[in-house]
Amino acid sequence: MKITFPYMGSPYMYEKLFSLLGHEVITPPRPSQRTINYGVKYSPEFACFPLKIILGTYLEALELGADTIVTSGGNGPCRAGYYGEAQKKILQNMGYDVEFIIFDEPKRDWKSFLENVKKIKGNNSWRRVIKTVKTVYDMAKSMDKVEKIVETKRAYECNKGEFTKVWREITEEYRKIESSEDVKRVEKKAIERLNSIKICEVPEEEKIKIGIVGEIYVVMEPSINANIEEVLNSYGAEVERSHYISEWIDFNLIPLPSYKEKEHEILKKAEKYIEIIIGGHAKQSVGAIIDFMERGFDGVIHLKPFGCLPELVSQSVIDKIMREYDYPILSLSVDEQMAIANVLTRIEAFLDVIKLKKHRKRIAR
């Protein structure tokens, strides 16, 4: 099998999983304007933006020789649950002979989940599969841990671009790992490198912390969200996302209650506004906003794909939260028409509002 997969955040974890199991891996190129054009051209006009981008990455990977696509299914009553089947049909209609392996939550259909695992397992022993999965899980946890350090400290770097340069070098080191021991070694070295970068001290009362919430693909993929984390860091704001891949694994793939506590806590915080899971990450977005607010973040940016019904519902709730708590929240719609200059202007204005709010609070003391 020549396996490819959706490009979302760092692709190295998915790449490592399949390569350690002996498969030939076709890593799709980082999404670009060409990817967007491809996806938009062949997707239904009314489809969610992530479906279009992911279809574009599949087409680029197929051009590179991929013959098998491994992806996850949707979560809850959302159109994302049909992504795999819809994209499979589109590619078949275009004449591609490609196998789709779609992983839904194990609890939804254990039998299909295990059948898909066996396809990926190939001739490997179960012992090797378990060791590989543990290595990749450790890698995901470690990369998320180190990335959170970057998202915090990059806001105060003295030499602009230094953290980004080092982070790219660190991700290449993760790409070379072969075992959990390698992960520990790379993480230790990565943290040492990040701690050695010179940062400019900022008074605690002037620091700005921004949470990013929304649909998982547009939150995690910088190439289509205007690289929003790096932009916010460049304006001197610390950033934290509501989605990290290791936390998604904990909640969706590991059948142990202790791994789901954080997600359940976030969902509980949203129950005042959304009682049930309505699809996508709408309830998680609202819960994450409350969580960021309670943890002292100065504001939240909400990212939603144009046409995403669950996030449209969460946006209607966001207006209520803003009024109820006088809390700054900026909602940005992401699609193929998104203008970078417009996004930057809105972010600058949003940060100015937060700075003014903090200034008035200090004066009032």
Side-chain angles (χ1 to χ4, degrees):
M1 288 193 291
K2 294 181 180 179
I3 292 179
T4 193
F5 45 83
Y7 194 114
M8 184 177 75
S10 173
Y12 297 154
M13 189 196 74
Y14 321 107
E15 182 183 272
K16 186 57 62 179
L17 173 64
F18 302 126
S19 64
L20 285 178
L21 290 174
H23 297 294
E24 185 175 347
V25 182
I26 307 294
T27 302
R30 187 173 191 265
S32 62
Q33 189 58 50
R34 182 174 184 266
T35 316
I36 295 173
N37 292 343
Y38 252 160
V40 169
K41 182 177 181 180
Y42 295 107
S43 300
E45 183 275 336
F46 57 84
C48 307
F49 191 48
L51 182 146
K52 298 175 182 177
I53 297 294
I54 293 171
L55 180 65
T57 61
Y58 289 165
L59 287 167
E60 291 182 315
L62 291 173
E63 287 178 349
L64 295 173
D67 58 23
T68 303
I69 293 171
V70 180
T71 184
S72 61
N75 183 18
C78 167
R79 286 184 290 184
Y82 302 102
Y83 275 17
E85 292 301 325
Q87 290 160 336
K88 181 179 178 181
K89 190 69 177 175
I90 291 170
L91 293 176
Q92 285 175 344
N93 289 340
M94 293 175 68
Y96 285 101
D97 181 18
V98 56
E99 182 179 5
F100 265 77
I101 299 176
I102 303 170
F103 281 92
D104 284 308
E105 284 183 271
K107 66 183 180 183
R108 293 176 64 183
D109 187 348
W110 271 103
K111 188 178 177 183
S112 296
F113 184 83
L114 288 175
E115 286 175 356
N116 285 335
V117 170
K118 287 178 182 175
K119 290 179 184 176
I120 301 299
K121 171 183 173 289
N123 295 323
N124 294 284
S125 65
W126 283 109
R127 182 177 180 181
R128 180 172 177 78
V129 172
I130 292 170
K131 184 180 179 184
T132 298
V133 169
K134 183 181 183 309
T135 298
V136 174
Y137 177 71
D138 290 344
M139 179 181 175
K141 279 282 184 188
S142 179
M143 290 187 76
D144 284 347
K145 178 182 176 181
V146 175
E147 188 176 17
K148 285 182 180 180
I149 296 173
V150 174
E151 292 166 346
T152 300
K153 288 195 165 187
R154 186 165 53 191
Y156 312 115
E157 64 185 356
C158 297
N159 302 312
K160 293 297 181 187
E162 195 167 3
F163 269 93
T164 299
K165 177 176 177 291
V166 171
W167 172 235
R168 286 175 182 158
E169 292 170 357
I170 289 170
T171 57
E172 286 299 322
E173 291 300 313
Y174 276 110
R175 196 175 192 179
K176 301 172 187 172
I177 65 105
E178 297 287 333
S179 65
S180 293
E181 288 69 32
D182 289 343
V183 173
K184 291 177 186 174
R185 175 181 52 77
V186 171
E187 179 183 308
K188 183 173 183 290
K189 187 178 176 184
I191 293 174
E192 288 174 355
R193 289 191 68 187
L194 292 175
N195 286 337
S196 69
I197 296 176
K198 185 180 180 183
I199 60 174
C200 297
E201 294 299 326
V202 174
E204 196 63 36
E205 65 272 18
E206 292 181 14
K207 290 183 177 179
I208 296 175
K209 296 181 180 179
I210 303 294
I212 299 177
V213 307
E215 190 272 340
I216 187 169
Y217 189 83
V218 296
V219 167
M220 288 190 58
E221 181 44 54
S223 65
I224 64 160
N225 67 18
N227 208 7
I228 196 163
E229 293 167 50
E230 198 172 332
V231 167
L232 285 164
N233 284 156
S234 72
Y235 288 136
E238 297 180 24
V239 176
E240 185 177 317
R241 303 193 302 260
S242 60
H243 298 294
Y244 291 88
I245 192 64
S246 61
E247 294 171 1
W248 184 91
I249 294 171
D250 287 346
F251 186 67
N252 291 283
L253 299 181
I254 298 182
L256 296 173
S258 60
Y259 284 76
K260 305 177 188 300
E261 288 177 356
K262 181 179 178 183
E263 190 79 359
H264 284 306
E265 185 183 335
I266 294 294
L267 290 172
K268 191 172 182 180
K269 290 182 178 182
E271 283 183 355
K272 176 182 175 184
Y273 304 97
I274 300 179
E275 294 183 5
I276 60 172
I277 301 287
I278 62 170
H281 294 90
K283 192 168 182 178
Q284 286 93 335
S285 294
V286 172
I289 289 171
I290 303 298
D291 183 61
F292 280 129
M293 186 166 59
E294 290 176 350
R295 290 165 54 203
F297 278 64
D298 299 293
V300 167
I301 292 181
H302 170 233
L303 298 178
K304 65 180 191 304
F306 181 76
C308 176
L309 298 179
E311 291 302 335
L312 281 174
V313 173
S314 62
Q315 186 179 9
S316 67
V317 174
I318 284 171
D319 293 339
K320 185 176 181 181
I321 294 173
M322 290 173 66
R323 289 193 301 271
E324 195 171 329
Y325 295 98
D326 186 26
Y327 190 62
I329 305 173
L330 174 64
S331 195
L332 296 173
S333 186
V334 181
D335 69 357
E336 61 269 29
Q337 305 295 332
M338 189 169 84
I340 301 300
N342 177 51
V343 172
L344 295 180
T345 301
R346 293 187 66 188
I347 289 174
E348 288 175 4
F350 180 65
L351 293 176
D352 284 343
V353 168
I354 288 175
K355 288 174 184 174
L356 181 61
K357 190 175 169 67
K358 288 171 73 76
H359 177 68
R360 286 176 174 169
K361 191 179 287 186
R362 285 198 298 272
I363 292 176
R365 286 175 185 163

